[in-house]
Amino acid sequence: MGLTDFLKKQFIDIIEWTDDSRDTLSFRFPDEDKEIKRGAQLIVRESQVAQFVYLGEFGDTFGPGKHQLTTDNIPILTDLKSWKYGFESPFKADIYYITTRVFTGNKWGTSNPVMMHDADLGVVRARAFGIYDFHVIDPKLFLKEVAGTDAHFTLEEFSDTMRSRIVSVFSEALAKAKIPVLEVAARYSEVGAALLPIINAVIGTKYGLEMTSFILENVSVPPEVEQAIDKRSSMTAVGNLNDYVKFQMGQGMAQGGAGSTPAEMAMGFAIAQQMIQQPGGIIGTQPATASAQAGAGASPEMLTPAEAAKILSVSEEDVMASVTAGDLKAKKIGNAYRITRQALDEFLKA
């Protein structure tokens, strides 16, 4: 064996990598314990970035093109190795190829319910799933925080590693955006587009990634929240909690008043008159009768939240939400709340 053949076996002349799998995010060039000689050719294809790592520290980064490794184009590595006279002797270093193209159609989903805060409905448990497209924008940060020293980091490994992180970022973005549950459940595409810049601001600085699209395909909520959404959609416009309660009462009246007490019927009649008086009412503006108003608030007895909820045809949780918000006045007797008929009248007239 001649000296030239011996040197070719000991040193690396050409460094390149071709991805045939289409699912590789990063790949460490197999040096087979050989050293890189001065003047070696580094080939980086489109949608690739080559990153040198020397003794655990990041060296030079190369974009697409054909590069000849000399002192001039590896200044960081030259500094790390403390070459006094530049790159003269062969050396060893890890070379990672990172794929920078967009990876499309990646699925995400919540394994456990996400706690969402809604101004009207309070805290709501929701599950969500969808798809997203992404690509690497910071190779060093990506290697450090996601791929690590993995010799062949694939899309499957990425999905396993990032699944919980993506859900966490999604939850934080949703909380920061303060989008009502009703909007999330009804306008998937718009919500996804609104969350995208918030999510990118986080994953860009944390993981060196950028999403080019983030799509919500489904958001599921508990049955009681679904019922609330269905009832809200029956209204001509979604109003505040007071409007919702009044709407519930109107529904109860429309279904017939069988079993209602005279006081309840009188209160329902007063509210119906109030709804009719609103601009755009079907009948027009008509003054409520004094007898109906008197009947609605005639009884001074104290009611429990459950009893008030039954009269208003809403849930006890809705009543307590109004009490907590200060919209419905209530007295706390011991550990329990009590509501007067007068307080109900004032609440409905608000």
Side-chain angles (χ1 to χ4, degrees):
M1 178 187 298
L3 180 60
T4 302
D5 294 333
F6 174 77
L7 291 176
K8 284 184 178 179
K9 289 192 175 183
Q10 294 299 315
F11 302 126
I12 299 174
D13 292 315
I14 299 176
I15 303 167
E16 64 177 331
W17 172 65
T18 303
D19 179 20
D20 297 325
S21 67
R22 300 294 295 171
D23 68 346
T24 300
L25 276 82
S26 66
F27 179 80
R28 188 173 65 222
F29 180 76
D31 58 17
E32 299 176 350
D33 206 30
K34 294 180 181 180
E35 294 184 319
I36 301 169
K37 75 173 187 177
R38 184 178 186 278
Q41 300 294 315
L42 173 67
I43 300 173
V44 184
R45 290 175 167 78
E46 289 295 331
S47 299
Q48 289 182 349
V49 168
Q51 177 65 54
F52 278 75
V53 179
Y54 176 70
L55 297 180
E57 295 188 72
F58 289 116
D60 301 275
T61 307
F62 294 87
K66 187 175 183 180
H67 311 276
Q68 187 174 25
L69 300 182
T70 61
T71 303
D72 293 337
N73 62 9
I74 52 172
I76 301 177
L77 201 57
T78 298
D79 184 60
L80 289 175
K81 290 186 66 64
S82 301
W83 282 319
K84 294 182 179 179
Y85 306 105
F87 176 22
E88 298 294 340
S89 303
F91 71 97
K92 289 193 66 175
D94 291 326
I95 304 170
Y96 289 87
Y97 278 90
I98 298 94
T99 304
T100 58
R101 70 175 179 84
V102 175
F103 290 85
T104 61
N106 304 280
K107 296 181 180 180
W108 68 273
T110 57
S111 55
N112 297 310
V114 174
M115 306 306 289
M116 298 173 57
H117 294 271
D118 185 87
D120 290 346
L121 302 177
V123 178
V124 178
R125 293 175 289 106
R127 295 178 184 271
F129 65 83
I131 58 174
Y132 65 95
D133 304 336
F134 78 97
H135 64 135
V136 177
I137 57 173
D138 188 333
K140 293 180 182 178
L141 190 56
F142 173 74
L143 286 176
K144 179 182 178 182
E145 300 295 339
V146 183
T149 58
D150 197 316
H152 188 190
F153 191 68
T154 64
L155 193 57
E156 182 178 356
E157 293 174 280
F158 172 84
S159 298
D160 293 338
T161 302
M162 294 297 294
R163 183 175 291 112
S164 61
R165 301 183 190 181
I166 294 296
V167 171
S168 175
V169 172
F170 162 74
S171 304
E172 292 174 5
L174 197 60
K176 185 178 294 185
K178 296 181 180 180
I179 302 174
V181 176
L182 297 175
E183 297 294 321
V184 174
R187 302 164 68 178
Y188 294 144
S189 60
E190 294 178 34
V191 171
L195 293 178
L196 187 59
I198 303 176
I199 293 174
N200 276 333
V202 176
I203 65 173
T205 55
K206 278 189 175 182
Y207 310 118
L209 302 171
E210 180 184 60
M211 288 188 184
T212 56
S213 71
F214 183 81
I215 299 173
L216 278 170
E217 291 188 326
N218 181 265
V219 175
S220 58
V221 293
E224 60 271 18
V225 179
E226 287 186 354
Q227 292 172 9
I229 293 173
D230 290 341
K231 289 175 181 178
R232 286 287 184 92
S233 64
S234 299
M235 301 172 65
T236 56
V238 177
N240 59 26
L241 186 58
N242 291 352
D243 296 332
Y244 179 47
V245 171
K246 293 172 184 176
F247 172 72
Q248 289 284 74
M249 287 191 61
Q251 276 198 325
M253 293 171 58
Q255 293 171 2
S260 298
T261 65
E264 292 176 38
M265 292 296 290
M267 182 176 288
F269 179 72
I271 297 306
Q273 291 282 26
Q274 184 177 353
M275 294 174 68
I276 291 172
Q277 290 176 32
Q278 294 176 356
I282 298 174
I283 301 177
T285 301
Q286 297 180 8
T289 63
S291 60
Q293 292 177 352
S299 181
E301 72 264 22
M302 305 292 281
L303 303 173
T304 66
E307 292 170 337
K310 184 176 180 182
I311 292 174
L312 297 175
S313 298
V314 298
S315 69
E316 186 175 348
E317 287 75 13
D318 287 333
V319 171
M320 289 308 301
S322 294
V323 170
T324 303
D327 297 326
L328 176 58
K329 294 180 181 179
K331 295 181 180 180
K332 193 170 185 181
I333 303 175
N335 294 325
Y337 284 95
R338 292 294 181 267
I339 304 162
T340 65
R341 294 280 184 173
Q342 183 180 356
L344 285 180
D345 283 346
E346 292 175 353
F347 170 69
L348 293 167
K349 292 175 182 177

